[in-house]
Amino acid sequence: MSREPNPLFLAKRTYHGRRMADAARLLPILGGGLFLLPLLWKTPSEQGGTGTVQVMLYVFIVWIFLIGAAAILSRRIPRSESDPSEPEQG
Amino acid sequence: MATLNILVLTSLFYVVLLFAVAFAADTAAQRGRGRWLGSPLIYTLSLSIYCTAWTFYGAVGFAARSGLEFITIYLGPTLVMIGWWWTLRKMVRVGRSQRITSIADLISSRFGKSNALAVFVTILAVIGTTPYIALQLQSVTLSYAAFADFGANTGEEINQNLTAFWVAAGLAVFTIIFGTRNLDANERHHGLVMAIALEAVVKLFALLAVGVFVVWGLAGGLDNTLDRIEASAIARWDVPGSRWVGLTLLSAAAFMCLPRMFQVMVVENDDERHLRMASWAFPAYLMLMSLFVVPIAAVGLDIMPQGSNPDLFVLTLPLSEGRDGLAILSFLGGFSSATSMVIVAAIALSTMVSNHIVMPVWLWTTGGSAMMSGDVRHVAMLARRLSIAVILFLGYLYFRLSGSGAALAAIGLISFVGVAQFLPALLGGLFWRGANRKGALAGLATGFAIWAYCLFLPSFGPFMLMPQEVLDQGLLGISWLRPQALFGTEGLSPVVHAFMWSVSLNTLVFFIVSVFSFPQPVERLQGAQFVNVFEHSTTSGGWRGGQAQSEDLLIMSQRIMGAGEAQALFSNAARAQGIDGHLPEPTPDFLGELERAMAGSVGAATAHAMISQIVGRATISVEDLMAVADETAQIMEYSSELEAKTEEQERTARQLRQVNEKLTQISVQKDAFLSQISHELRTPMTSIRAFSEILRDTEDMSENEQSRYASIIHNEAIRLTRLLDDLLDLSVLENAQIVLNLQTATLSHLLDRSEVASGMSDGSFKVRRSPDVEDIELYTDTDRLAQVFINIMSNARKYCDAETPELSITPRVEDGIVTIDFADNGAGIPADKQGTIFEKFARVSETKAGGAGLGLAISREIMARLGGSIQYMPAQTGAAFRVSLPLSAENTAQAAQ
C-alpha cells in the first residue's frame, strides 16, 4: 500500500506531459463556459438583439477551436503507459 | 413508382454491400490481416452511432421547431469527448481490465458483482431503449412513405407496418449473423464495426450533400442562406437558458450511459489509445453533422408548403426539387443512421439480457448447477440471439402501439433522460470508493421512478397511462406532486424538469444511502479496483481455491468458452504454475483469471456465480476474506521459508564449489608431487649412483677425493632418508598411530630450541620475541611441538622475501589455551594458495626449491594430535600462522589414544 515517494522535480519531458494532461482536463470546462456565453447575450426582444445566425457562427467557431485544441493536446499527452496523471492526488 | 422501385433496389443493394463489407472484415480479421480494422479512425467512426435517424432527420425538425436548441444534443458529447482524460479514459481502462461486456455489467461488477443490480439496469435499459428502436423503425418507414408520396400517383397505399416489420426482421438477421459470431462479448465484432463505420461515412456524406445542395443549390450561396435564416421563423435567439444548459448536460450524460454508446466506446474498444484520436475527431464529426442543420431547416421552412413534416426536410427538399439521386442518397443516410443504431443497441441489450437475465434464470431452473450436462455455450449463444430478436420485436411492437404520433425528437429525449439515470452509479462507481450497492440500487430506483412519473408515462398522452387529473393537480391532488412541476417548479420544459429532478434526487439518494450503509467486502474490493484502476494491477476479486475441483472447472469453462479456448487457458495456467501437462491447481490467482475469462462470455455476475457453485461458495464473506488474507500470510511465510532454504542451498552450493576447487587443486598437487617426489628421489639417487660408480671404477683416486665423494653419497642418502622419514611421519600421524611423549617444558625454552634448530639464530633473520610472556609451562609432547615451531620458522626463512626479514612471535594465554602467533614481514602467501598450504605436497611456489611440501601437513597433524590447531591468518601483512594448544595436553592425548 505504500506509495512510492514522488520525485520533487521531473524531467522536462515528463513535466511537459503532465501540463498537457492538465490542459486536457481544463479544455472541457473551458468549452462548457464558452458554450454558455451566448446565454448572457442580449435577448432578442431588445433592439439589435442577437440572432440565431450570430450564435450559430459563434458556436461553430468555438467548436472548431475546441476540436483543434483537443487534436493538439491528444498528440502531446505522453503515450507511455506508465501513466503520469493524477499528480495532484499524490 | 419508378423512383420507389429504384429506391427499393438501391436499399437492397446497399444492404448487400453492408453484408459483404461485414463479412469481408470478419474474414480478414480471422485471417489476421485486418490490422487496419482496429484503427482509431474506424473506432471514431463507430462512435457515430450516437447520430441516429433522430439526428439525421430529427435534428432538422428540431431546428425548425426551436432554432439552435438542437445543437445542445451535440455539444454535450463534444464536451465529454474532449474531456476524455477525465472519464472516458477511466471507463475504457476499467472496461478492458475487468472484461466488461455492457454498462449493466460495469455497474454490477463495480458494486460487488451484484446480479440484482445487473437485472435492474438491464430492465431499465430495455425500457429506455425500446422506444428509441421504435423511433428508428418509424423514421425508416416515414422516409419510405415520403418517397412514395412524391413518386406514387398510382394510388398504391404503402403499408407502413409491413415496411417496419421487414426492416426489423432484416436488422435482426444482420445483427444475429454479425453480432453473435463469437460468444465472448468482449471480443471485437470486426465485421459489424466495419459496417457501422461505412454507414457513418454514408450518413455524413449524405447529410453534407443535402446541405451543400440546399445552401448552394436552393438558397443561392452562403450569404443568401444566412439571409434566409435571418428572415425565417427561427431567426430569434430565444433558447431558454435552462433548456440550453439542461439539454447539453442531458446529452453529455446520455452519451456516456447509452447502452449502445457504451458498447462501441468501451466494449468494442480495441486499444485505449484510440480515444486520443476520437477525442477530437468525433467532435469534428458531430460538428460536420450539425453544420447544415439550421440552413436546411430555414430553407425547408421557407420553401416547403405549410404543414409539411420538418422531420423529413432532409428528404423532401431534394425530392420536391426533383433531385431523385440526392434524395436516394439522403434516404440511404437516414437508413444507415437508423440501422446502425438498432444493430448496436440490439447487441448491447441482448448481451445484457442474456448475461444478466436469461443465463441466471437458466442456471437456476436447471437445478442451480453449472455441472449439468449440455452445452452452456450453446445456451448462451441461443439466449443472445433470441434476445436480439425479442428486442427488435419489442421495438416493432412499440412502433405499432405508439403509432407515429409523437415527434421524433421527443422520444429521443425521453429515452436520454431514462438512461441518464445510470450516470450517478457509473461516475460514483468510477470515482468514489464509498459508493456501494445499496446506494446504487436506491439511487437508480429513485431516478427511474421519477423519470417514469414525470416523463415516460405522460409521454403516452394524457389519457393513455396517466390520467389528466394527475397531470393537472398532482398525485392524490397534491400540487407539489404534479408530474411536470414537482415541488412547484414550473416554467421548465418537461424534459429538463424530469432530467433535473430525476438525476439530482437519484444522486442524492445514491449518496445518502451509500454513506449510511456498509458495503460487502467484495464491493469494497471491486471499488478499490475500479477507482484506482490506474494504480492497481488488473486482478479482481479474491478466490480461495482448495475445495474447487479443477476438473469440474474445466468441464464448466469448456461449455462456456469452447473446448479449445478453455483447454488453452488451463494448460497455460498449469504451465505458469510449473505443472505442465496436468490440470492447474485452483489457486486464487487462477480462479480470478478464469472468472475474468468467463466474464467475457457470460458477464461478471454470472461468471462469479458459476465459479462459486463449483468452488462451493455463493458469496464472499468476511471469513472468506480473512481466509484469503491468512492464505496470503501463509504464502508469504512459505515464501520466506523458501527464501531461507534457497539461501541455505546457495550456501551449500558455495561450499561444494569450494570443496570442488580444493579437490581439483589437490589432484593437481598430487600430480605435481609425484613428479616432484620422483625428481626428489631421483636427484640424490642419481648422484649416489654416479659417485658410487666413480668410487668403484676409478683406480687412482686421492684420499681426499674419495672422502669427498663418499660424503656426497652420505649426504644424499641422508636427504633421501629425511624425505622418507617425513612421509612416514605423516602417514603415522594421519593414522593416529603416534605415541605422545608428554613432558613439561616452558614455551621460551621450546622457542629457543626451535630458533637454533631452524637456523634462525645465524643473524640473517631478526626474530622479535616477547620474553615476559613466554614463561609459560606446557605439558605436552615438546619434541613434536618444537617440530611444528621449527617448520614454521624454517618456512619463514625460506620464503620471506623482505629485504630485512623479520619474524615476530607473540604468545598469549586465554582460558587454558596457549596461542602463539608467528608473523613475518614478507609478501605472505597468495590468496589462491591459502586454502591448500596445509595439504600434503602443497608448495607455495614451484620455483623456490625446498622440501617436498610435507612440513605444514605434518604440523597440522601434530597439532591435531596435541589437541590444538595451526591456522594461517590471512589478514596480516606477511605470512602469519597461529598455533594454539591447551596448556596441558593430557586429556586430549588420552582421548587421542
Side-chain angles (χ1 to χ4, degrees), chain B residues 818-833:
Chain B
V818 193
T819 337
I820 308 119
D821 289 352
F822 296 84
D824 70 22
N825 61 345
I829 294 170
D832 58 329
K833 303 280 186 185

Side-chain angles (χ1 to χ4, degrees), chain B residues 718-777:
Chain B
I718 287 172
R719 219 172 109 191
L720 267 177
T721 315
R722 200 173 60 225
L723 184 65
L724 294 173
D725 277 349
D726 276 357
L727 281 171
L728 190 66
D729 204 8
L730 188 64
S731 136
V732 167
L733 280 165
E734 281 189 335
N735 292 314
Q737 289 163 342
I738 183 178
V739 179
L740 294 177
N741 178 20
L742 297 175
Q743 49 192 310
T744 308
T746 58
L747 181 62
S748 60
H749 174 71
L750 280 176
L751 286 171
D752 289 344
R753 211 174 102 192
S754 311
E755 207 176 312
V756 174
S758 60
M760 295 289 258
S761 47
D762 64 355
S764 66
F765 222 92
K766 191 174 178 194
V767 180
R768 289 172 181 275
R769 292 185 39 186
S770 345
D772 45 330
V773 286
E774 276 174 8
D775 189 20
I776 301 165
E777 196 153 282

Side-chain angles (χ1 to χ4, degrees), chain B residues 682-702:
Chain B
R682 263 184 68 186
T683 318
M685 286 307 260
T686 311
S687 41
I688 287 171
R689 219 177 81 193
F691 286 108
S692 57
E693 272 169 14
I694 292 171
L695 282 175
R696 189 190 63 194
D697 298 339
T698 314
E699 293 295 324
D700 45 347
M701 190 179 284
S702 69

Side-chain angles (χ1 to χ4, degrees), chain B residues 73-302:
Chain B
I73 303 300
Y74 306 96
L75 295 185
T78 296
L79 294 178
V80 172
M81 275 321 286
I82 61 172
W84 65 290
W85 198 254
W86 285 105
T87 47
L88 294 186
R89 192 172 64 108
K90 199 165 194 177
M91 251 164 83
V92 171
R93 174 71 68 91
V94 167
R96 290 174 61 81
S97 68
Q98 300 281 327
R99 309 251 300 161
I100 295 299
T101 58
S102 64
I103 187 161
D105 196 25
L106 181 91
I107 291 175
S108 108
S109 188
R110 161 63 180 86
F111 297 107
K113 305 184 180 179
S114 145
N115 207 40
L117 200 52
V119 170
F120 195 56
V121 173
T122 302
I123 291 172
L124 302 180
V126 170
I127 295 174
T129 310
T130 309
Y132 217 113
I133 292 176
L135 171 66
Q136 309 303 316
L137 296 177
Q138 187 192 40
S139 73
V140 173
T141 54
L142 273 182
S143 58
Y144 186 67
F147 252 94
D149 286 346
F150 271 89
N153 294 317
T154 56
E156 193 178 329
E157 188 62 32
I158 299 295
N159 186 339
Q160 288 201 2
N161 290 340
L162 203 63
T163 316
F165 180 79
W166 283 116
V167 170
L171 286 173
V173 169
F174 185 88
T175 312
I176 286 170
I177 289 179
F178 292 104
T180 59
R181 282 177 89 84
N182 27 40
L183 178 61
D184 191 341
N186 211 249
E187 275 176 28
R188 320 284 166 250
H189 301 104
H190 289 287
L192 197 102
V193 170
M194 196 61 216
I196 289 164
L198 177 69
E199 292 192 302
V201 175
V202 169
K203 64 194 180 196
L204 180 63
F205 182 71
L207 200 59
L208 288 178
V210 173
V212 168
F213 165 72
V214 167
V215 170
W216 281 277
L218 290 179
L222 208 56
D223 290 339
N224 289 341
T225 311
L226 293 182
D227 289 344
R228 283 210 197 202
I229 298 171
E230 295 279 19
S232 72
I234 54 173
R236 285 152 57 95
W237 165 242
D238 54 0
V239 176
S242 67
R243 265 182 86 83
W244 184 258
V245 178
L247 291 183
T248 306
L249 290 177
L250 173 59
S251 63
F255 183 71
M256 284 187 277
C257 298
L258 281 167
R260 67 170 195 275
M261 287 319 297
F262 191 89
Q263 176 80 24
V264 287
M265 201 151 53
V266 177
V267 182
E268 300 279 349
N269 178 285
D270 232 357
D271 187 335
E272 247 174 76
R273 285 170 300 183
H274 291 174
L275 265 181
R276 283 172 189 275
M277 182 175 175
S279 73
W280 60 269
F282 185 63
Y285 185 94
L286 291 176
M287 197 266 292
L288 290 175
M289 282 299 276
S290 41
L291 196 56
F292 289 112
V293 169
V294 173
I296 294 173
V299 173
L301 286 172
D302 193 20

Side-chain angles (χ1 to χ4, degrees), chain B residues 547-737:
Chain B
Q547 300 137 297
Q549 301 296 314
S550 297
E551 217 175 302
D552 295 347
L553 286 171
L554 178 61
I555 293 168
M556 178 190 70
S557 48
Q558 271 180 346
R559 290 195 278 117
I560 289 170
M561 298 188 285
E565 205 175 315
Q567 279 161 13
L569 181 81
F570 273 65
S571 63
N572 280 340
R575 203 167 306 133
Q577 292 178 3
I579 41 173
D580 207 354
H582 298 269
L583 279 174
E585 292 295 316
T587 59
D589 274 354
F590 171 62
L591 289 177
E593 189 190 341
L594 182 65
E595 185 188 323
R596 272 195 303 283
M598 280 175 42
S601 299
V602 291
T606 310
H608 194 72
M610 291 176 97
I611 291 190
S612 327
Q613 282 178 0
I614 288 180
V615 179
R617 192 187 49 218
T619 52
I620 293 186
S621 64
V622 180
E623 287 76 28
D624 295 326
L625 283 174
M626 298 287 278
V628 172
D630 270 357
E631 200 162 279
T632 317
Q634 274 173 17
I635 288 170
M636 281 167 74
E637 199 175 303
Y638 178 62
S639 68
S640 70
E641 247 170 53
L642 265 186
E643 218 167 84
K645 270 187 190 148
T646 314
E647 245 170 51
E648 200 183 309
Q649 280 174 344
E650 259 172 31
R651 211 161 38 236
T652 314
R654 209 161 44 233
Q655 283 167 353
L656 278 175
R657 265 198 302 276
Q658 281 173 350
V659 169
N660 186 37
E661 230 166 71
K662 209 162 150 186
L663 282 175
T664 318
Q665 277 183 6
I666 287 172
S667 154
V668 170
Q669 280 165 13
K670 206 154 209 164
D671 289 346
F673 169 73
L674 281 176
S675 64
Q676 175 73 23
I677 201 84
S678 50
H679 177 74
E680 293 280 334
L681 289 173
R682 263 184 68 186
T683 318
M685 286 307 260
T686 311
S687 41
I688 287 171
R689 219 177 81 193
F691 286 108
S692 57
E693 272 169 14
I694 292 171
L695 282 175
R696 189 190 63 194
D697 298 339
T698 314
E699 293 295 324
D700 45 347
M701 190 179 284
S702 69
E703 192 82 359
N704 200 8
E705 276 177 324
Q706 275 186 13
S707 92
R708 194 160 63 90
Y709 293 154
S711 67
I712 290 175
I713 292 170
H714 179 73
N715 281 342
E716 292 300 313
I718 287 172
R719 219 172 109 191
L720 267 177
T721 315
R722 200 173 60 225
L723 184 65
L724 294 173
D725 277 349
D726 276 357
L727 281 171
L728 190 66
D729 204 8
L730 188 64
S731 136
V732 167
L733 280 165
E734 281 189 335
N735 292 314
Q737 289 163 342

